[in-house]
Amino acid sequence: MFYKFRDFSNYKFLLDIFINRRLYASSFRNLNDNFEGQFYTDIFGKINRVRINPKIKEHLSICSFSGHYENHLLWSHYSNGHRGLVIAFELEKSKYEIQKVNYSGLKTFNDLPHKFEDIKSIFLNKINEWEYEDEYRIIVEEQCHIDIIIKEVIFGSEVSDLDKNLISKLIEQIDSKIKIKTF
């Protein structure tokens, strides 16, 4: 099971997840870690930190999610301080390459990375301060949506009754087998 944290700031995105049962793979430029897309290389004669800068025609999208939902920092950072929710879901593993993020620091290359697999590896290595996220990623070469199988919705402890009732009714209409609970 995987978990996607969401707040209620943009109902359009939240409705898209529930109605179309999919997550958006966003451009890596929209990620919140300012070290995303950075790596070390000694191509210039000494070790330098470099940021990947793909050509305008090229694209790299990332769908991020967690392996757990119990961490209060995740609720604070991605669900508006328990005022949002978590969507528990499964993926068709034969359809996607699901990769675990490594938290041992930025990737190091002797040369500049050119192959897609090398570029992907840059986005699978983060500094250890992010380890609490227990993050998994699907990395693709185009902007797209990732199909999910929603199993459960977990409301944060501070969700308003109005939001809880609206989302609960929506979920019941879409699929009555989806479990609903509060953290």
Side-chain angles (χ1 to χ4, degrees), residues 66-112:
S66 182
H68 69 279
Y69 71 91
E70 298 89 357
N71 188 297
H72 289 286
L73 284 175
L74 288 170
W75 282 96
S76 291
H77 293 157
Y78 301 110
S79 286
N80 191 20
H82 278 271
R83 290 175 204 83
L85 55 78
V86 169
I87 300 162
F89 64 93
E90 293 177 350
L91 293 159
E92 288 184 45
K93 293 185 174 145
S94 62
K95 193 172 181 180
Y96 302 107
E97 183 180 7
I98 305 160
Q99 297 179 285
K100 178 94 171 91
V101 171
N102 176 346
Y103 299 99
S104 60
L106 301 180
K107 184 92 172 168
T108 300
F109 294 92
N110 293 327
D111 200 351
L112 292 176

Side-chain angles (χ1 to χ4, degrees), residues 124-178:
L124 294 169
N125 288 274
K126 297 176 82 169
I127 58 176
N128 66 349
E129 283 87 352
W130 293 98
E131 191 169 16
Y132 75 93
E133 291 185 334
D134 185 28
E135 187 175 353
Y136 290 82
R137 289 182 165 180
I138 296 172
I139 302 173
V140 292
E141 292 184 81
E142 72 281 343
Q143 247 174 334
C144 66
H145 290 90
I146 307 301
D147 296 325
I148 61 173
I149 303 160
I150 301 173
K151 296 294 189 178
E152 187 173 41
V153 172
I154 306 154
F155 290 107
S157 59
E158 302 297 322
V159 172
S160 73
D161 288 338
L162 175 63
D163 285 329
K164 196 181 288 189
N165 289 333
L166 282 172
I167 297 298
S168 294
K169 285 179 182 179
L170 174 69
I171 292 166
E172 288 169 15
Q173 292 293 314
I174 292 171
D175 185 348
S176 61
K177 291 181 268 179
I178 296 172

